[in-house]
Amino acid sequence: MIYEVKVGVKKYRLELKPPGTEVRVDNDKWRCRMDEDGPELEIDTARIGANTLSLIVGGKAYTVRREGGQNDLRIWIGENCWTVELQDPRSWRSRKKLSGIEDGPAKLLASMPGKVVRVLVAEGDAVHAGGGVLVVEAMKMQNEIKSPRAGVAQKILVSEGANVNAGDTLAIIE
């Protein structure tokens, strides 16, 4: 799973290797990488409350507590508090915010890693809101990527057979 994390004014790319993947160490150990060139860390986790985790990273123990909601998220590590904004490329709110739907052209983003199996429209074609633009296969399932609004397919940035990562821009609708 890849997340965009904003702590204060600094942005990070956080990659977590979820349970059930080949990189999982055991039941409570995860692998984590902050930014693409950062070191991969092994994190031992234990849930100690509804919004509280105990983490062991590099032999040091940390208690991490979450407060607030999506628009006012605060993370406490010990006595230190940070305001955090978390964007999951798979979630609708994050996709809407990241896609620029509110301003100018709409970017269609890959919600998870996969392979483009079909391109349903050509550049310059009219598309309607909710109409299919591309089909991406991920985890042996085909997912139709739909236009968030009516417009014209200004740019198709991938071709059939292309591999894509979560958050990659696939097409632009104007």
Side-chain angles (χ1 to χ4, degrees):
M1 294 179 279
I2 298 174
Y3 299 92
E4 287 186 17
V5 180
K6 185 176 175 186
V7 180
V9 295
K10 191 165 183 180
K11 290 185 180 181
Y12 300 93
R13 179 182 180 270
L14 173 65
E15 180 180 0
L16 292 174
K17 306 291 182 166
T21 65
E22 67 281 355
V23 296
R24 186 154 184 212
V25 178
D26 65 30
N27 288 341
D28 297 319
K29 291 187 180 178
W30 295 69
R31 294 201 185 270
C32 164
R33 182 183 312 270
M34 191 71 96
D35 293 325
E36 291 177 6
D37 56 347
E40 187 170 86
L41 301 173
E42 184 177 299
I43 301 175
D44 192 351
T45 65
R47 182 179 293 269
I48 57 176
N51 292 312
T52 308
L53 290 175
S54 174
L55 304 179
I56 298 176
V57 182
K60 289 187 176 182
Y62 302 91
T63 299
V64 180
R65 186 170 36 106
R66 180 184 70 186
E67 286 183 355
Q70 176 135 1
N71 296 329
D72 184 30
L73 182 60
R74 291 175 309 284
I75 301 292
W76 289 82
I77 300 176
E79 298 300 315
N80 300 310
C81 180
W82 288 273
T83 300
V84 175
E85 183 179 323
L86 179 66
Q87 295 175 342
D88 177 355
R90 297 169 303 161
S91 75
W92 169 246
R93 273 189 205 141
S94 291
R95 276 189 301 205
K96 184 175 178 183
K97 185 173 184 177
L98 291 172
S99 69
I101 290 173
E102 297 90 358
D103 305 335
K107 294 179 184 177
L108 301 183
L109 305 178
S111 60
M112 63 181 63
K115 182 177 183 178
V116 177
V117 293
R118 277 192 303 282
V119 177
L120 304 173
V121 299
E123 287 184 8
D125 284 357
V127 294
H128 62 279
V133 177
L134 300 142
V135 177
V136 176
E137 184 176 287
M139 300 186 314
K140 298 184 182 181
M141 292 179 59
Q142 292 191 357
N143 303 291
E144 187 175 50
I145 309 299
K146 298 178 180 186
S147 177
R149 65 177 183 211
V152 174
Q154 178 187 24
K155 248 332 181 194
I156 303 295
L157 301 168
V158 294
S159 58
E160 288 183 11
N163 290 316
V164 297
N165 294 310
D168 284 355
T169 302
L170 306 175
I172 300 174
I173 306 299
E174 191 166 31

